[in-house]
Amino acid sequence: MLKLKPDFYTNHLTNVDAEWLHHQKIKLVLVDLDQTLVNASSQAKDKANEWIRN
């Protein structure tokens, strides 16, 4: 069974931008929008949704 293991952690999704992802050759970003892994405030969820849209 394949387990996903993160290579990078951040306290805020907005600390990461597309240029950094490209420079690091990161092709996939998994985001826990439905809070199944970690309970987040609605403000954090709103910021994550905004980051994804941009």
Side-chain angles (χ1 to χ4, degrees):
M1 178 175 173
L2 176 67
K3 293 185 180 182
L4 298 176
K5 181 178 143 188
D7 295 321
F8 176 77
Y9 294 90
T10 182
N11 290 334
H12 300 282
L13 187 61
T14 56
N15 292 339
V16 179
D17 63 10
E19 183 178 329
W20 184 86
L21 292 171
H22 180 73
H23 180 71
Q24 297 295 319
K25 298 181 180 168
I26 295 175
K27 296 180 181 180
L28 175 69
V29 176
L30 295 177
V31 180
D32 182 25
L33 290 178
D34 64 356
Q35 302 174 1
T36 56
L37 302 175
V38 177
N39 191 13
S41 70
S42 64
Q43 182 182 11
K45 192 169 26 170
D46 291 344
K47 286 183 179 182
N49 284 325
E50 180 181 339
W51 182 88
I52 290 169
R53 278 187 246 120
N54 294 322

